[in-house]
Amino acid sequence: MRILQCKLTTIEALLGTASNNKALHSEFIASHAPDAPSREEEIAAVGVDEVIEKGTTVFSRNEDGRPILWDYQIKGFFKDACGVLRKVKGTKSSKIKAYKKEIDGLIFVQERQILVQTAEELTSCQRPLRANTPQGEREGLANSEEIAAGAVLEFSILVMSDDLVPAVKEWLSYGKLRGLGQWRNSGKGRFLCEILEERAAEFSDILD
């Protein structure tokens, strides 16, 4: 059992993922976070008064009003990374069979809220959306809060199986190619990871 103390530094702008429509967040987004202690905690952290457009995705905020990511967003990134890398021959991920179950049950981000440390003002990223629907091709405009490259996120990861540690490091390295947040396919949210510390842990440490 190992604990990895990680420092992520974004190399591309990071976009918010939470809906600014609190009712929508209540019914859909928060319900997709089964490990969240309470739906109310999620909803209360969504949105900023200055952003009024329904379709805007934003960053959740902590009690000081600073942007955060939630622990399960990092785990979601791990699932995304592993799901792709397991198809690449010779990767650590290719040896993991029931990878979602392994990540859910054996890998934990210890901080509930992860502060996005930045000295830059938050801006807005707009981009066109195109979709083929039964009514024909439709176009729209997506809008997201954006934090400039150079933001720092620090958190610790508990890996309960030593065999999974190399895979976790592989996923964190994959962040250089595919990152966190909205519009990842364009390169948004890419990051570099530094392992500040790696140490052994005992199950008794978790229970204390």
Side-chain angles (χ1 to χ4, degrees), residues 15-20 46-48 51 56-61 144-145:
L15 302 187
T17 61
S19 170
N20 199 42
V46 171
V48 286
V51 182
T56 297
T57 57
V58 299
F59 288 94
S60 295
R61 270 25 180 215
S144 299
E145 278 192 318

Side-chain angles (χ1 to χ4, degrees), residues 21-22 26 40 50 52 63 69-70 76 85 91 93 110 113-114 121 129 137 140-141 144 148 180 182 191:
N21 182 336
K22 292 189 178 184
S26 174
E40 290 74 18
E50 295 83 2
I52 60 174
E63 292 181 353
L69 296 186
W70 298 98
L85 293 176
T91 62
S93 303
Q110 295 193 293
Q113 298 181 0
I114 302 166
E121 293 289 334
L129 291 179
E137 187 171 295
L141 185 67
S144 299
L180 298 161
Q182 287 271 16
F191 61 84

